[in-house]
Amino acid sequence: MIRGGILQIVLFFVYVILQVVLLKNLVLFNTSFCFLYVAFILLLPVEMSNLRLMLIAFLLGISVDIFYNSLGLHTMALVLLAYLRNYWLVTITPQGGYDIGTRPTLSANGLQWFLVYTLPLVFVHHLVLFFVEASGFTMFWHTMLKVISSLLFTMTVMLLFQYLSLDRRR
């Protein structure tokens, strides 16, 4: 239990450093951004409470906001994602349910389940992030282009990391 907690703390800092050092400057065609830090919240254990999840999301979001100089945009979108995560997990519960200590990973649940789990949540995160950043719907189609292209970019990198991970218990 303690070893898992220490691993989560280390992973927290790895995701923050990876996001602000490498992925902050990786932008495709000035519309597609990779926000891999959302994977940290999505891959936390299934039985984690909403309050604890939202607190971790707040800390992660504010850490990213400090380096992006974005005044709480990432924090707001990530806390919303954390709030919706457990409700979405209940909605898509497999027939046998989840085992205690299970992480919602690709290797544990398969590609189809992983996409059904992550795509809507990452879409909501990006939708809120980019529309609040745009201050409304005045540039609707350009903002939607950023949402969709960033969703595809983030999901591609997230899937690559899932396939490259060492967790192959399935």
Side-chain angles (χ1 to χ4, degrees):
M1 186 73 170
I2 293 174
R3 183 176 169 214
I6 293 172
L7 178 65
Q8 290 302 321
I9 292 170
V10 169
L11 280 175
F12 179 90
F13 288 109
V14 167
Y15 274 97
V16 170
I17 291 169
L18 188 64
Q19 183 66 47
V20 300
V21 172
L22 183 66
L23 299 175
K24 180 181 180 184
N25 299 318
L26 185 62
V27 179
L28 300 177
F29 307 112
N30 205 25
T31 57
S32 186
F33 302 86
C34 183
F35 297 120
L36 186 63
Y37 68 92
V38 300
F40 180 77
I41 298 299
L42 293 173
L43 299 176
L44 286 172
V46 172
E47 68 273 356
M48 188 170 283
S49 70
N50 261 356
L51 184 61
R52 188 171 174 203
L53 202 59
M54 288 170 41
L55 179 64
I56 293 168
F58 177 79
L59 294 173
L60 180 59
I62 203 75
S63 300
V64 171
D65 278 326
I66 289 170
F67 291 100
Y68 273 70
N69 197 22
S70 55
L71 299 173
L73 290 176
H74 295 274
T75 304
M76 178 197 55
L78 196 60
V79 168
L80 176 65
L81 178 135
Y83 177 76
L84 296 174
R85 186 193 93 130
N86 283 348
Y87 296 112
W88 185 240
L89 278 171
V90 168
T91 304
I92 61 168
T93 300
Q95 196 167 15
Y98 300 110
D99 295 331
I100 294 178
T102 301
R103 294 184 181 280
T105 61
L106 179 68
S107 61
N109 298 300
L111 178 63
Q112 182 181 0
W113 183 92
F114 188 75
L115 288 175
V116 167
Y117 167 59
T118 55
L119 268 172
L121 292 173
V122 174
F123 178 74
V124 167
H125 172 271
H126 287 19
L127 195 71
V128 168
L129 180 73
F130 287 121
F131 273 106
V132 171
E133 180 186 48
S135 301
F137 298 100
T138 55
M139 296 178 45
F140 180 79
W141 293 113
H142 178 68
T143 306
M144 281 306 293
L145 174 66
K146 286 172 70 173
V147 168
I148 300 298
S149 62
S150 297
L151 172 69
L152 294 173
F153 191 17
T154 302
M155 289 303 299
T156 302
V157 173
M158 195 183 307
L159 285 171
L160 280 172
F161 271 81
Q162 284 291 298
Y163 278 119
L164 295 175
S165 73
L166 301 174
D167 189 21
R168 299 279 181 198
R169 288 181 269 166
R170 185 169 163 87

